[in-house]
Amino acid sequence: MERTRVLVAYATAAGSTRGIADRIADRLREVVGDAAEVVVRPADPELDVRSFDAVVLGSAVHDMAWLPAATHLLRRARVTLGDRPLWCFSVAGVAPRDPVRRLVTDRELQRVERGFPSGLAPRDHRLFGGVVVLRGMPLWGRLFWLALGGRPGDHRDWAAVDRWADGIAAALPTVRRAASPAGDERPAARGTSAVPPAPGR
């Protein structure tokens, strides 16, 4: 059986983006089963995306931009992925859970995407809330966060992450086939099961 190879790469500052990357990978494994090999790696200059059939890449957002490691990998992926699918996710302090916050997060996504390479066309770019620590945050940042009704703590929405990963699983390249003795080809079996909430990191 030929399996689809999926890379889930991330750039994290304090660990919450890594937690979301791990959750996406776990969910893909649960949904797709043995039909895909899912690999999780930090965004690293030596990471070669050419051996993967699909890439999911995410980063923490600082000052309305991805971390440099993720941006660098995104630029290389733009050149080496070709027409293979790419999904992106950003992790910020504000989760899009109501109309006001959704307006803020939509604008933040637009700002983040301005730093993406020209001509890049990911299948989707989703923003998730992360872990908010007010200690060390500039005063304007604290005031902005409090004005939105925010609070410190873990704001990762695991159900939203699971739903997004399910969409990725459904759209993965269908290179996985198992040939029967009679010679006809049947799609590899898929299964779905719930993933328990991951601990905060």
Side-chain angles (χ1 to χ4, degrees):
M1 179 190 297
E2 187 179 6
R3 297 198 297 168
T4 299
R5 299 196 74 231
V6 183
L7 171 66
V8 181
Y10 64 89
T12 188
S16 62
T17 304
R18 175 184 175 181
I20 291 176
D22 286 339
R23 179 64 172 239
I24 291 169
D26 288 343
R27 185 68 176 184
L28 290 175
R29 294 183 186 114
E30 287 286 341
V31 174
V32 181
D34 291 337
E37 176 188 359
V38 183
V39 178
V40 185
R41 293 285 185 273
D44 183 275
E46 304 302 319
L47 186 57
D48 187 358
V49 302
R50 291 174 296 181
S51 62
F52 294 93
D53 301 299
V55 173
V56 182
L57 176 58
S59 174
V61 175
H62 286 189
D63 297 325
M64 300 287 187
W66 272 16
L67 299 179
T71 302
H72 179 72
L73 184 59
L74 193 62
R75 291 194 180 113
R76 286 200 291 117
R78 165 73 177 83
V79 175
T80 58
L81 272 180
D83 60 355
R84 285 168 287 181
L86 167 70
W87 288 266
C88 297
F89 69 94
S90 295
V91 180
V94 180
R97 290 180 173 167
D98 58 60
V100 174
R101 294 187 189 187
R102 194 167 293 111
L103 178 62
V104 172
T105 57
D106 285 348
R107 290 181 177 176
E108 187 163 17
L109 276 179
Q110 292 172 7
R111 288 282 298 275
V112 168
E113 288 174 357
R114 289 175 196 166
F116 285 4
S118 176
L120 184 75
R123 295 284 183 92
D124 192 19
H125 179 200
R126 190 64 54 91
L127 186 141
F128 300 110
V131 177
V132 176
V133 179
L134 295 182
R135 186 179 64 253
M137 184 182 292
L139 178 60
W140 67 267
R142 293 188 213 176
L143 294 175
F144 176 74
W145 173 247
L146 294 173
L148 289 174
R151 66 189 188 282
D154 192 341
H155 297 275
R156 290 173 291 184
D157 185 341
W158 298 116
V161 173
D162 286 347
R163 288 192 298 270
W164 193 64
D166 288 349
I168 293 173
L172 285 175
T174 55
V175 300
R176 51 208 179 270
R177 295 282 177 175
S180 70
D184 61 324
E185 292 188 345
R186 306 176 187 274
R190 292 173 181 240
T192 59
S193 62
V195 181
R201 300 187 186 190

